[in-house]
Amino acid sequence: MNRVDFKNIIHAEELKAKNAPTKHKIFVCCGAGCISSGADNVMKKLQEEIKNRGLEDIEVVPTGCMGPCNQGPLVKFKPGNTVYQKIDCVNIGEVVKSQIVDKKPLEDLLLFSEHREKPFVNAEEDPYFKKQLKIALKDCGDVHPEKIEDYLLHDGYKALDKALFEMSPEDVISEIKQSRLRGRGGAGYPTGLKWETVYRHVNDQKYIICNGDEGDPGAFMDRSVLEGNPHRILEGMTIAGYAVGANKGYAYIRGEYPLAIKRFEAAIKAAKKLGVLGKNILGTNFSFDVEVRIGAGAFVCGEETALIASIEGRRGTPSPRPPYPAESGLWGKPTLINNVETMASIAPIILKGGEWYSEIGTAKSAGTKVFALAGKINYAGLIEVPMGTTLREIVFDIGGGIQGDGQFKAAQTGGPSGGCIPAEHLDVKMDYEELMKLGSIMGSGGLIVMDENSDMVDVARFFMEFCVDESCGKCVPCRVGTKMMHDLLQKVCENKATQLDIERLEELAVYVKECSLCGLGGSAPNPLLSTLRHFRHEYDTRVQPVRKSENLVHQ
Amino acid sequence: MIVRNSLQDADLPQDDPRVKQLNVKMKKEGYKPDALIEILHNAQNSYGYLPINVLRYIAKVLRLPPSRVFGTVSFYHFFSMKSKGEHTCLVCTGTACYVKGAQKLLDKVEEKFGLKQGQVTQDGKIGLQAARCIGACGLAPAVILDDEVQAKVSPEDLISKLTSKLETHEQG
Ligand SMILES: Cc1cc2nc3c(=O)[nH]c(=O)nc-3n(C[C@H](O)[C@H](O)[C@H](O)COP(=O)(O)O)c2cc1C
Ligand code: FES
C-alpha cells in the first residue's frame, strides 16, 4: 500500500461513517474495571435489547476505559455524551427505553447522580471531565480497540504518515524535543534527548522497546492505554523507529494483563495487514516490525537493563550503567526504551506540533499526566490532567473527595519508589520538581489516597516488604538492607522499637540509597524517609525508652 | 541434585496434547533461547504449573543448561513449580488493595480453610495465592477466583464464593 492508497482508505472510511444509517452509538466501557463489574453481560443484554426493540440503526461499540472505574459498568450514548453508571442486566433495558425511545435521560442512573444536585446529561460538562485534559487517553472510551478502521477515523496513523512523508528523522526528533515531553515511566528524562542519543549511535541494528511492565502495585495507567487504544502505542513506536533508525520493536507487557496482550497482538496483525507496520510501510523503504514479550511478574524487570535481560530470555537482573541502553542495549545494540504513556503521547505531538504540547503544563514539566486514583477516594479510576494541577483539585474536584466521612490524611505517589504527601501540602502543583521537593516522586502515576485510618508506619512497612520480595538479590545493599529495614519497621509496628532503632533506620536508608546497583534499591528507602519526614510523630509515639544496657551495647 | 540428573528422564510422552502444543510453540520460536520465557508461559498455561520433567524437557530441546531454565523459573513470581490447586484464589495485595483491607481477606481465608499464601488445601481443591496488583485498583480489594476478577470483595463474600466453588465441585 502506498500513501495514496492509505489516503483513499481513510477517505472511504470517513464517507462510510458519514453516510452510515447509524444515528446513535452506544459505547460500553470494557476496560478492566468495568469488565470485572460485569460489562460483558451488559454488552450481551444490550445487544439483545436493541434487537428486540427493532432499533437497527444503533451501533454498539465496546471501548477501553472511560475513567471513573468505581462507578462502572459505564455506558455512553452519542450524540450527546450521556453517560450512565452502575449498569446491570436489569436496568440496561430501562436506560435504552428512556434514552432512545422516550428521548428522556434517566436521571437516577446518570453518572455521579448520587453526588450531584443535578447530574449532567452531557457528561463532558461535569467537573470530573471538565478539569481533565486528555491527550494520551484521548480516544480510550471512544474507539473500538480491536478495529483499526475506528482508529483511522480518530486521526489514526496520520502522524505516522506525516512523519514518513513530510519530515526527516531529524525533524521528528526536534519536534519531540520542542514538545519538552519527559518520560512517563518514572524518572522523567527528556524524551527528545533520549531519541537523539539513540539516533546518534551509528549501528545497522537498533531496537525500540515499549516498557509496559507497570510494576508499581496500585497503578493501571499503562494497562488502560494498552487495552483501550493499542494502535496509538504502535503508531508511537513506529514513529520512534523511523526517527532513531530502528526496524524492530518489542512491547514488554506484564503477564498479569492478558487482555492487553491479546489486544496488542491483534493490533499488530491489523496494522500489518493495512500496511502501516511491517515491510515498506506506506510504500516507503522504511520497515518496522513489533513483537510482544510477556513479563513474568518481577517488579525489577521494569528497570531498563533488567527488562532487556528479560527480553533476552534470562533472569531479569539489572546491570550497572553506563553503558546506557541507548548505546548498548538489547543484544548489545543501541536501544530506545520508553514507557507506554510516553509512546501514547507521540502521535498527537507530531500531528499538532511540539509547540502546542510544550504550552500545556508547567515551566519544567510540559504536557499532561495520567494518574490512577485508588484507595479511599470516591471516584477511583483513571484521569489525565495538565501538569501542575494541584493535588487538591485531583482528590476533591475530580476524585470526588474521601470515601464515607473520612478525612484526607495523605496521598502516596510513585509506589514503592515514592512517598507520601500529607494534608498540609494539598495545594502542591503536581509536576516532577514539586513532588521531588516534598520527598516524593511523580513515578508512573499511581496515586493512592489514604484517610485517617491508615497507619503510616505500616504503610512504610508495606512498601519495604514489597521491596524485600522484589529485590533481585544481585547487590548486597538492596538485598540485605531492605530486609534489615523491614525488620526494624516491623519492630516499630509492634511497639518494640527504641529510639536507637529509628536512628539505625535512618542510617540504613542512606546506605541503601547510595550504594544500590539499580533504582529499585536506590529508591526503596523513599517511602520510609517520606513517612519519617511528614509523620514522624507516628514513629515517636511508638518508640520505647532506651534501656541503659542497650544504649551501651550500641555505642 | 537436580542438575546432576538433569537429562535423565528428560523425555515426555509425545502423544500428550500438552506436549504437542509445547513442541509447536518451541518450533514457532525457532528454538531460540531468548524465547525461553514465552515458552515457559505456554507450558504453564497448559499444565497449570511447571512440573520438573517439563523443565528438563525444555532444557533439552532448547539445548540450554538445566540450571539456566530452573534459574529463570525460580526468578519470576509468575512461574510456579507446584500445582496451584483445582480452584485458585488469588488475592491482590497491591497498594490499593492493601489500603482497602486485603489483609482481612487473607486472614479470613486462613481462619476458615487453614490456608496461608502459597498453600493448597490437603485435598488439592483450593489454592491460595497473593499477587502484587492485578490492575483493578479502582475496584479494590480485588481477587481473581479461577481466572475471574471479583471486585470490591468483602471477607464474607470471598468465603461464600469459595464455599460454593467447593459445593459445585462435589456435585460435578
Ligand atoms: C525498579 C524500577 C522499576 C521500574 N518500573 C518501570 C515500569 O514499570 N514501567 C516503566 O515504564 N518504567 C519503569 N521504570 C523506569 C525504566 O527504567 C525506564 O526509565 C523507563 O521505562 C524509560 O521510559 P521513559 O523515558 O518513557 O519514562 C522502572 C525503574 C526502576 C528502577
Ligand atoms: S492494588 Fe490490587 S488491583 Fe491494584
Side-chain angles (χ1 to χ4, degrees), chain A residues 28-153:
Chain A
V28 181
C29 179
C30 291
C34 284
I35 286 192
S36 37
S37 13
D40 277 349
N41 290 335
V42 168
M43 181 92 192
K44 270 188 222 132
K45 187 79 190 168
L46 177 62
Q47 267 151 347
E48 254 171 52
E49 188 74 30
I50 284 174
K51 212 162 136 211
N52 292 347
R53 287 181 183 273
L55 301 166
E56 259 97 46
D57 59 348
I58 290 182
E59 193 187 333
V60 178
V61 189
T63 72
C65 181
M66 294 181 182
C69 308
N70 194 48
Q71 312 297 106
L74 301 167
V75 174
K76 175 163 76 183
F77 288 78
K78 273 193 176 180
N81 267 319
T82 308
V83 180
Y84 291 97
Q85 65 176 10
K86 301 186 182 160
I87 298 302
D88 53 36
C89 293
V90 182
N91 61 23
I92 183 71
E94 291 168 48
V95 172
V96 171
K97 179 172 179 295
S98 73
Q99 177 76 19
I100 307 262
V101 183
D102 307 343
K103 307 211 175 347
K104 239 178 57 198
L106 193 64
E107 287 219 351
D108 291 351
L109 285 174
L110 282 175
L111 185 61
F112 305 133
S113 53
E114 72 274 42
H115 292 120
R116 306 270 188 261
E117 238 168 64
K118 184 136 181 63
F120 294 85
V121 177
N122 177 352
E124 311 248 285
E125 289 170 10
D126 192 286
Y128 179 87
F129 289 106
K130 258 193 155 164
K131 287 241 164 186
Q132 297 190 49
L133 177 63
K134 297 204 176 185
I135 296 176
L137 292 180
K138 185 171 157 277
D139 302 319
C140 281
D142 283 322
V143 299
H144 190 315
E146 290 177 31
K147 273 200 181 155
I148 193 168
E149 307 82 35
D150 224 25
Y151 182 61
L152 292 179
L153 284 176

Side-chain angles (χ1 to χ4, degrees), chain A residues 178-191:
Chain A
Q178 199 193 6
S179 75
R180 298 193 295 124
L181 173 66
R182 298 170 63 173
R184 299 293 191 243
Y189 189 80
T191 305

Side-chain angles (χ1 to χ4, degrees), chain A residues 433-499:
Chain A
E433 278 69 30
E434 293 298 317
L435 287 179
M436 195 81 91
K437 275 189 217 154
L438 290 181
S440 184
I441 60 164
M442 175 74 83
S444 53
L447 199 158
I448 310 242
V449 175
M450 302 185 212
D451 65 7
E452 74 276 11
N453 293 325
S454 302
D455 168 353
M456 301 317 279
V457 183
D458 197 60
V459 168
R461 188 205 54 79
F462 167 81
F463 282 117
M464 199 58 79
E465 179 184 292
F466 179 85
C467 292
V468 173
D469 281 353
E470 296 296 336
S471 170
C472 75
K474 185 166 172 176
C475 76
V476 180
C478 171
R479 183 181 69 226
V480 181
T482 50
K483 174 77 177 127
M484 287 172 74
M485 288 191 287
H486 175 265
D487 292 351
L488 286 171
L489 280 166
Q490 181 80 37
K491 223 170 141 187
V492 183
C493 286
E494 290 166 358
N495 295 333
K496 288 184 189 150
T498 63
Q499 195 56 43

Side-chain angles (χ1 to χ4, degrees), chain B residues 38-54:
Chain B
E38 311 296 300
I39 291 164
L40 292 172
H41 271 296
N42 183 287
Q44 180 155 304
N45 269 345
S46 42
Y47 286 87
Y49 69 108
L50 293 167
I52 199 151
N53 54 345
V54 173

Side-chain angles (χ1 to χ4, degrees), chain B residues 11 15-16 22 63 69 89 91 112 147 149 151 156-157 160:
Chain B
D11 285 318
D15 51 355
D16 183 335
L22 186 58
R63 293 170 189 265
V69 178
C89 171
V91 177
K112 199 83 191 174
D147 292 334
V149 180
E156 293 69 34
D157 268 0
S160 79

Side-chain angles (χ1 to χ4, degrees), chain B residues 30-147:
Chain B
Y31 305 104
K32 281 185 305 197
D34 61 84
L36 176 62
I37 294 176
E38 311 296 300
I39 291 164
L40 292 172
H41 271 296
N42 183 287
Q44 180 155 304
N45 269 345
S46 42
Y47 286 87
Y49 69 108
L50 293 167
I52 199 151
N53 54 345
V54 173
L55 296 183
R56 287 188 182 133
Y57 179 72
I58 293 175
K60 191 179 115 183
V61 178
L62 296 186
R63 293 170 189 265
L64 282 173
S67 59
R68 166 84 198 276
V69 178
F70 296 126
T72 307
V73 169
S74 61
F75 182 83
Y76 293 99
H77 299 303
F78 209 78
F79 298 133
S80 161
M81 288 174 64
K82 278 193 301 202
S83 163
K84 292 178 181 169
E86 279 171 57
H87 295 289
T88 52
C89 171
L90 181 84
V91 177
C92 176
T93 51
T95 320
C97 294
Y98 154 78
V99 171
K100 289 282 195 85
Q103 190 58 44
K104 290 198 191 112
L105 299 180
L106 289 171
D107 291 346
K108 192 82 186 176
V109 175
E110 181 173 356
E111 178 196 315
K112 199 83 191 174
F113 297 98
L115 274 182
K116 279 198 172 44
Q117 268 180 55
Q119 292 181 336
V120 180
T121 45
Q122 270 182 347
D123 56 6
K125 293 219 165 104
I126 296 183
L128 177 69
Q129 288 153 43
R132 296 291 192 183
C133 191
I134 53 170
C137 326
L139 300 163
V143 173
I144 304 186
L145 259 188
D146 288 341
D147 292 334

